[in-house]
């Protein structure tokens, strides 16, 4: 195939051809753009869905939550001038409750139901010397990151695959 | 998964909106004229009871009523208590903080509803009268002392105590009748006498100035639950078996101690002990100008010394037992202390400053080593560190580990067996100092 440094003269149908080409390019552009937008929104929706720690957990009653986790949630207290959340709980089953201390996947996670803001602990809060006793009351302190939870905020408490909803925080 | 950068962008947008809303709300609130009522309870710091309208004429009058009720303890127990309530209010513990001014003619009317006689003594005050005559020890028919002051009879008795508050400082008031029982049961409170120089001074000396927004009370007490159980059941209690199992600050054990004043889940324990301070910065040409000290008022009604230890900063002791640390000739006897070893019945007035040695900011959190697992205990901090802001992986969508860039330091009784609640560790006489981030910030 030879190359030319000059543009060939247009034929009789060149204008129509250029029009059809532009239209085709425009259609392709729109298709690609639509795919890109769709993919972006789809990815964002998927990402948001994947980032929601509530996904894959079961909303359960307080009794079922206690049966699964071994604890009863006594208090979500907005404390330290709003800087921390006190997660106070009573141990009903020490064996199950001990997993909260020692199993990373069982650390309590709080989700503010209105905003979706999530509070989680990033490191282990307890010692293996912890001696949880049936009936005993214990607590975690969690940072109230960016003031996610206020007095009256309804919170979902997640431990493992169990989710206790509509727990009202108090100040 | 959402990228950290987009999450941060979203969070920044949210914070910007929230900040705008807060500024707008603040502006709206600021334009509302304040009602001619008592000042609202501060979220933390000392909650003063000021003695009614006559306080403006330097003649504050306080009605204190003995009540019985229950308090909540960190291990989930409740405890039967006695206490002084303000006016004729329901039970509270401890008694109201009586705030007066030097030279005030103070009147305290005791209304006794208990099943036994009770009185009030005012250690450190001079010339106290009871129903117009000198308040003094009372004896029974056998010559045995029955009370350190004239008591109000059981069930419905009343006694009016009066004195002139001659000395600025921090004082206790407490039962003078069967104190080994009645004080232990909770009949005590704090009396703060402001100096003539101004409410932002501890004493009548320029070097005792502090920022009123950083004034805090640390009222230390203890409970033997068996004594309280015996009183509740109207049974005798053998004091030779007395052994505290609970230790409290301002009537609360940690973590309740760091909850706000008037926390809803502590209806009978109104006083928190969280200290909030700003970094000391005496240069007006630099950001964050904050040239004043904070002020901590320590009091103890315990039965032994409490070596109270504010981590991370020492304090300047400017007063003891309601007297300034100065000689009669005015020589300065103040001293820097890292631990406040407060004895039974003592009060200590301590000025403190927090120096930002590490130039802390939300972007530059103080790096800390999270303690070894073996050194962590139930009820410890959310991250195992006394400092919020360790540099670890953050949860999705989280820009910082704390509320708004603030910073916490623990303060606690260093008799470590006492930072328990009947054996539950890391509870009891523990509180925090909260260092606020530079302004403007997103704290609310």
């Amino acid at each position: 195939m030879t190359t030319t440094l000059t543009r060939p003269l247009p034929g009789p149908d060149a204008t129509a051809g250029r029009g059809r080409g532009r239209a085709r390019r425009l259609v392709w552009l729109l298709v690609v753009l639509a795919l890109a937008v769709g993919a972006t929104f789809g990815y964002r929706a998927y990402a948001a869905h994947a980032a929601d720690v509530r996904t894959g957990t079961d909303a359960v009653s307080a009794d079922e939550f206690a049966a699964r986790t071994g604890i009863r949630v006594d208090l979500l207290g907005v404390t330290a001038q709003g800087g921390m959340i006190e997660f106070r709980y009573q141990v009903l089953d020490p064996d199950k409750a001990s997993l909260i201390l020692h199993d990373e996947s069982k650390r309590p996670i709080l989700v503010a139901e209105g905003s979706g803001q999530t509070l989680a602990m990033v490191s282990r809060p307890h010692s293996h010397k912890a001696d949880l006793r049936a009936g005993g009351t214990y607590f975690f302190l969690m940072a109230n990151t960016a003031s996610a939870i206020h007095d009256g905020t309804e919170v979902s408490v997640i431990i493992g695959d169990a989710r206790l909803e509509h727990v009202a925080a108090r100040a | 998964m959402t990228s950290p950068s987009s999450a941060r962008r979203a969070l920044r947008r949210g914070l910007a909106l929230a900040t705008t809303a807060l500024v707008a709300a603040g502006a709206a609130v600021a334009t509302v004229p304040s009602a001619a009522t008592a000042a609202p309870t501060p979220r933390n710091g000392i909650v003063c009871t000021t003695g009614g309208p006559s306080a403006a004429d330097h003649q504050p009058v306080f009605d204190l009523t003995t009540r019985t009720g229950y308090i909540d303890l960190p291990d989930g127990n409740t405890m039967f208590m006695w206490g002084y309530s303000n006016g004729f209010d329901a039970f509270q513990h401890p008694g109201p903080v009586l705030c007066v001014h030097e030279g005030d003619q103070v009147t305290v009317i005791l209304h006794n509803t208990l099943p036994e006689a009770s009185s009030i003594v005012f250690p450190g005050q001079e010339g106290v009268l009871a129903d117009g005559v000198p308040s003094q020890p009372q004896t029974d028919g056998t010559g045995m002392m029955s009370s350190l002051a004239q008591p109000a009879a059981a069930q419905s008795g009343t006694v009016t105590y009066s004195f002139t508050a001659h000395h600025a400082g921090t004082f206790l008031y407490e039962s003078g009748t069967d104190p080994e029982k009645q004080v232990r049961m909770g009949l005590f409170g704090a009396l703060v006498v402001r100096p003539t120089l101004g409410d932002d001074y501890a004493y009548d000396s320029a070097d005792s100035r502090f920022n009123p927004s950083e004034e805090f009370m640390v009222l230390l007490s203890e409970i033997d639950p068996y004594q309280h159980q015996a009183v509740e059941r109207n049974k005798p209690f053998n004091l030779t078996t007395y052994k505290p199992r609970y230790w409290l600050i301002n009537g609360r054990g940690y973590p309740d101690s760091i909850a706000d004043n008037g926390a809803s889940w502590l209806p009978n324990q109104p006083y928190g002990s969280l200290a909030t301070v700003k970094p000391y910065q005496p240069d007006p040409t630099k950001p964050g100008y904050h040239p004043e000290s904070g002020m901590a008022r320590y009091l103890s009604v315990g039965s032994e010394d409490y070596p109270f230890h504010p981590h991370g900063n020492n304090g300047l002791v400017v007063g003891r037992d309601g007297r300034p640390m100065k000689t009669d000739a005015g020589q300065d006897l103040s001293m820097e202390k890292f631990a406040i070893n407060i004895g039974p019945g003592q009060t200590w007035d301590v000025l403190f400053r927090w120096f930002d040695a590490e130039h802390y900011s939300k972007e530059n959190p103080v790096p800390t080593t999270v303690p070894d697992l073996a050194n962590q205990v139930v009820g410890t901090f959310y991250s195992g560190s006394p400092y919020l802001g360790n540099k670890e992986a953050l949860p999705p969508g989280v820009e910082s580990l704390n509320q708004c860039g603030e910073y916490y330091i623990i303060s606690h009784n260093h008799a470590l067996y006492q930072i328990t609640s009947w054996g539950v560790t890391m509870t009891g006489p523990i509180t925090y100092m909260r260092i606020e981030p530079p302004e403007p910030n997103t704290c609310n």
Side-chain angles (χ1 to χ4, degrees):
Chain A
M1 183 176 172
T2 59
T3 58
T4 176
L5 297 178
T6 57
R7 191 171 53 182
L9 291 172
D13 296 323
T15 305
R18 281 205 304 275
R20 282 198 298 274
R22 275 201 297 271
R24 274 199 301 272
R25 281 197 296 273
L26 186 61
V27 168
W28 276 113
L29 183 65
L30 290 172
V31 168
V32 169
L33 190 63
L35 286 172
V37 169
T40 302
F41 277 99
Y43 170 75
R44 284 184 176 275
Y46 166 79
H49 181 73
D52 189 335
V53 296
R54 291 169 289 191
T55 303
T57 62
D58 303 327
V60 296
S61 67
D63 288 345
E64 177 66 14
F65 190 82
R68 289 202 198 187
T69 64
I71 68 167
R72 185 181 69 194
V73 179
D74 278 351
L75 173 71
L76 290 183
V78 182
T79 190
Q81 197 170 303
M84 297 188 204
I85 302 299
E86 182 193 339
F87 180 92
R88 186 180 301 185
Y89 59 98
Q90 184 174 32
V91 170
L92 306 179
D93 182 333
D95 292 333
K96 290 179 181 175
S98 67
L99 296 178
I100 297 171
L101 312 186
H102 305 301
D103 183 343
E104 189 174 337
S105 68
K106 302 279 190 184
R107 287 182 197 157
I109 299 171
L110 309 181
V111 181
E113 292 173 0
S115 65
Q117 288 174 284
T118 301
L119 303 182
M121 286 179 281
V122 295
S123 56
R124 301 183 68 154
H126 288 306
S127 164
H128 64 277
K129 292 185 291 190
D131 181 19
L132 296 183
R133 297 180 182 179
T137 298
Y138 307 91
F139 64 93
F140 299 98
L141 283 174
M142 303 173 73
N144 189 15
T145 306
S147 299
I149 295 175
H150 299 270
D151 186 21
T153 298
E154 293 214 329
V155 176
S156 290
V157 180
I158 299 165
I159 295 179
D161 60 358
R163 184 172 83 251
L164 181 64
E165 296 183 329
H166 313 317
V167 180
R170 300 174 64 183
Chain B
M1 186 169 167
T2 306
S3 72
S5 59
S6 65
R8 280 196 293 271
R9 280 196 299 274
L11 190 59
R12 277 198 297 271
R13 281 196 297 272
L15 287 175
L17 286 169
T19 304
T20 305
L22 283 171
V23 168
V29 169
T31 61
V32 177
S34 58
T37 56
T41 300
R43 196 165 180 181
N44 56 60
I46 293 179
V47 181
C48 272
T49 300
T50 53
S54 58
D57 298 324
H58 300 286
Q59 295 181 340
V61 178
F62 301 94
D63 285 283
L64 297 180
T65 303
T66 54
R67 300 284 191 197
T68 65
Y70 293 85
I71 63 170
D72 292 306
L73 295 166
D75 61 349
N77 281 345
T78 58
M79 192 61 56
F80 179 72
M81 303 288 293
W82 292 358
Y84 297 115
S85 69
N86 180 35
F88 302 93
D89 291 351
F91 165 79
Q92 71 168 66
H93 177 71
V97 183
L98 311 182
C99 295
V100 302
H101 291 88
E102 194 175 9
D104 281 1
Q105 304 291 316
V106 182
T107 300
V108 178
I109 306 168
L110 172 63
H111 306 270
N112 186 22
T113 68
L114 298 173
E116 60 190 61
S118 187
S119 63
I120 306 179
V121 291
F122 301 89
Q125 306 306 320
E126 300 157 353
V128 180
L129 303 178
D131 286 337
V133 299
S135 176
Q136 56 192 356
Q138 306 294 297
T139 55
D140 62 17
T142 67
M144 294 291 288
M145 190 170 68
S146 58
S147 179
L148 292 167
Q150 288 88 329
Q155 306 292 358
S156 59
T158 297
V159 174
T160 298
Y161 302 96
S162 56
F163 58 90
T164 299
H166 290 294
H167 301 281
T170 306
F171 303 91
L172 287 163
Y173 67 91
E174 58 192 359
S175 174
T177 306
D178 201 4
E180 64 272 21
K181 173 185 179 182
Q182 295 195 2
V183 175
R184 296 278 163 260
M185 288 301 297
L187 291 182
F188 58 82
L191 167 66
V192 175
V193 181
R194 309 284 190 192
T196 305
L197 198 56
D199 289 3
D200 52 348
Y201 293 85
Y203 293 96
D204 285 308
S205 58
D207 57 3
S208 68
R209 190 173 190 183
F210 61 90
N211 188 313
S213 70
E214 298 180 355
E215 181 186 21
F216 308 99
M217 181 174 80
V218 181
L219 172 51
L220 301 167
S221 62
E222 64 192 34
I223 289 173
D224 178 345
Y226 291 106
Q227 182 182 35
H228 290 242
Q229 182 186 65
V231 172
E232 183 176 12
R233 296 178 178 180
N234 199 27
K235 302 285 188 185
F237 176 73
N238 182 356
L239 269 172
T240 64
T241 66
Y242 177 81
K243 181 183 177 183
R245 275 86 167 179
Y246 295 96
W247 293 265
L248 306 176
I249 302 178
N250 298 351
R252 299 181 184 177
Y254 175 84
D256 291 328
S257 57
I258 63 171
D260 293 350
N261 291 325
S264 63
W265 65 91
L266 298 163
N268 299 329
Q269 297 153 271
Y271 305 137
S273 56
L274 178 78
T276 58
V277 301
K278 294 176 182 174
Y280 177 71
Q281 205 289 83
D283 186 346
T285 67
K286 294 181 179 177
Y289 177 57
H290 188 68
E292 300 100 356
S293 301
M295 166 82 171
R297 299 181 182 270
Y298 293 89
L299 312 91
S300 171
V301 292
S303 63
E304 57 188 324
D305 286 4
Y306 295 143
F308 205 82
H309 174 50
H311 269 254
N313 73 287
N314 50 332
L316 181 68
V317 181
V318 296
R320 291 271 303 271
D321 303 327
R323 298 295 185 270
M325 298 289 283
K326 291 185 185 295
T327 65
D328 291 342
Q331 291 175 300
D332 184 16
L333 299 179
S334 64
M335 55 184 172
E336 294 280 352
K337 289 282 285 182
F338 190 55
I340 309 300
N341 198 37
I342 179 169
Q346 290 186 345
T347 71
W348 291 51
D349 295 325
V350 180
L351 299 179
F352 62 88
R353 294 170 177 172
W354 192 81
F355 295 86
D356 185 8
E358 293 95 350
H359 306 292
Y360 171 75
S361 70
K362 192 165 67 173
E363 293 73 28
N364 180 37
V366 175
T368 60
T369 302
V370 176
D372 183 86
L373 183 63
N375 296 325
Q376 298 177 40
V377 292
V378 166
T380 191
F381 316 96
Y382 84 101
S383 64
S385 166
Y387 304 104
L388 299 188
N390 67 51
K391 297 178 178 179
E392 296 190 27
L394 302 180
V398 173
E399 187 177 60
S400 71
L401 284 172
N402 50 11
Q403 179 191 17
C404 55
E406 82 283 11
Y407 177 92
Y408 298 88
I409 302 173
I410 188 174
S411 301
H412 66 94
N413 182 341
H414 219 293
L416 299 182
Y417 74 93
Q418 294 179 347
I419 53 172
T420 60
S421 298
W422 213 338
V424 178
T425 55
M426 274 305 278
T427 61
I430 301 170
T431 188
Y432 288 168
M433 178 182 291
R434 170 177 163 139
I435 315 300
E436 298 290 357
E439 293 177 337
N441 58 49
T442 58
C443 304
N444 55 22

